[in-house]
Short mmCIF file of all heavy atoms in Angstrom, two decimals:
data_model
loop_
_atom_site.label_atom_id
_atom_site.label_comp_id
_atom_site.label_asym_id
_atom_site.label_seq_id
_atom_site.Cartn_x
_atom_site.Cartn_y
_atom_site.Cartn_z
N ARG A 166 10.49 5.24 9.54
CA ARG A 166 9.34 4.68 10.23
C ARG A 166 8.10 5.51 9.91
O ARG A 166 8.20 6.69 9.56
CB ARG A 166 9.58 4.67 11.75
CG ARG A 166 10.74 3.81 12.20
CD ARG A 166 10.91 3.86 13.72
NE ARG A 166 11.07 5.23 14.19
CZ ARG A 166 10.23 5.86 15.02
NH1 ARG A 166 9.16 5.22 15.48
NH2 ARG A 166 10.46 7.09 15.40
N LEU A 167 6.95 4.92 10.08
CA LEU A 167 5.70 5.65 9.85
C LEU A 167 5.58 6.85 10.78
O LEU A 167 5.11 7.92 10.39
CB LEU A 167 4.50 4.72 10.02
CG LEU A 167 4.12 3.89 8.81
CD1 LEU A 167 3.12 2.80 9.20
CD2 LEU A 167 3.55 4.76 7.69
N GLU A 168 5.99 6.67 12.03
CA GLU A 168 5.89 7.78 12.98
C GLU A 168 6.81 8.92 12.58
O GLU A 168 6.44 10.09 12.69
CB GLU A 168 6.21 7.31 14.40
CG GLU A 168 6.07 8.40 15.46
CD GLU A 168 4.70 9.05 15.48
OE1 GLU A 168 3.67 8.37 15.33
OE2 GLU A 168 4.65 10.30 15.65
N THR A 169 8.01 8.59 12.10
CA THR A 169 8.93 9.63 11.63
C THR A 169 8.32 10.40 10.48
O THR A 169 8.36 11.64 10.45
CB THR A 169 10.26 8.99 11.17
OG1 THR A 169 10.84 8.27 12.26
CG2 THR A 169 11.24 10.05 10.69
N PHE A 170 7.74 9.68 9.53
CA PHE A 170 7.12 10.32 8.38
C PHE A 170 5.95 11.20 8.80
O PHE A 170 5.81 12.34 8.34
CB PHE A 170 6.65 9.26 7.39
CG PHE A 170 5.76 9.80 6.31
CD1 PHE A 170 6.26 10.60 5.31
CD2 PHE A 170 4.39 9.51 6.31
CE1 PHE A 170 5.44 11.11 4.32
CE2 PHE A 170 3.56 10.02 5.33
CZ PHE A 170 4.08 10.81 4.34
N SER A 171 5.08 10.70 9.66
CA SER A 171 3.90 11.46 10.09
C SER A 171 4.30 12.73 10.81
O SER A 171 3.68 13.79 10.60
CB SER A 171 3.02 10.59 10.99
OG SER A 171 2.51 9.49 10.28
N ALA A 172 5.33 12.64 11.64
CA ALA A 172 5.81 13.83 12.35
C ALA A 172 6.44 14.82 11.37
O ALA A 172 6.24 16.04 11.48
CB ALA A 172 6.81 13.42 13.43
N ARG A 173 7.19 14.30 10.42
CA ARG A 173 7.85 15.14 9.42
C ARG A 173 6.85 15.94 8.60
O ARG A 173 7.07 17.12 8.29
CB ARG A 173 8.69 14.25 8.51
CG ARG A 173 9.48 14.97 7.42
CD ARG A 173 10.29 13.95 6.62
NE ARG A 173 9.49 13.35 5.56
CZ ARG A 173 9.89 12.28 4.87
NH1 ARG A 173 11.02 11.67 5.17
NH2 ARG A 173 9.12 11.81 3.90
N GLU A 174 5.73 15.30 8.25
CA GLU A 174 4.72 15.94 7.42
C GLU A 174 3.66 16.67 8.24
O GLU A 174 2.78 17.33 7.67
CB GLU A 174 4.04 14.91 6.52
CG GLU A 174 4.98 14.23 5.55
CD GLU A 174 5.54 15.17 4.51
OE1 GLU A 174 4.80 16.09 4.09
OE2 GLU A 174 6.71 15.00 4.11
N GLY A 175 3.72 16.53 9.58
CA GLY A 175 2.73 17.17 10.44
C GLY A 175 1.33 16.63 10.22
O GLY A 175 0.35 17.40 10.20
N LEU A 176 1.20 15.32 10.08
CA LEU A 176 -0.10 14.72 9.77
C LEU A 176 -0.94 14.56 11.02
O LEU A 176 -0.52 13.94 11.99
CB LEU A 176 0.10 13.36 9.10
CG LEU A 176 0.94 13.36 7.82
CD1 LEU A 176 0.98 11.96 7.22
CD2 LEU A 176 0.40 14.36 6.80
N ASN A 177 -2.15 15.06 10.96
CA ASN A 177 -3.11 14.92 12.06
C ASN A 177 -4.49 14.71 11.45
O ASN A 177 -4.89 15.43 10.56
CB ASN A 177 -3.12 16.17 12.95
CG ASN A 177 -1.86 16.30 13.78
OD1 ASN A 177 -1.61 15.50 14.67
ND2 ASN A 177 -1.05 17.32 13.49
N GLY A 178 -5.19 13.74 11.97
CA GLY A 178 -6.53 13.46 11.46
C GLY A 178 -6.69 11.99 11.17
O GLY A 178 -5.76 11.19 11.35
N PRO A 179 -7.88 11.60 10.72
CA PRO A 179 -8.13 10.19 10.43
C PRO A 179 -7.25 9.70 9.29
O PRO A 179 -7.12 10.37 8.26
CB PRO A 179 -9.62 10.17 10.04
CG PRO A 179 -9.92 11.56 9.60
CD PRO A 179 -9.05 12.45 10.43
#
Side-chain angles (χ1 to χ4, degrees):
R166 297 180 304 118
L167 276 168
E168 182 56 40
T169 301
F170 168 71
S171 296
R173 182 178 84 192
E174 298 294 325
L176 302 183
N177 290 293

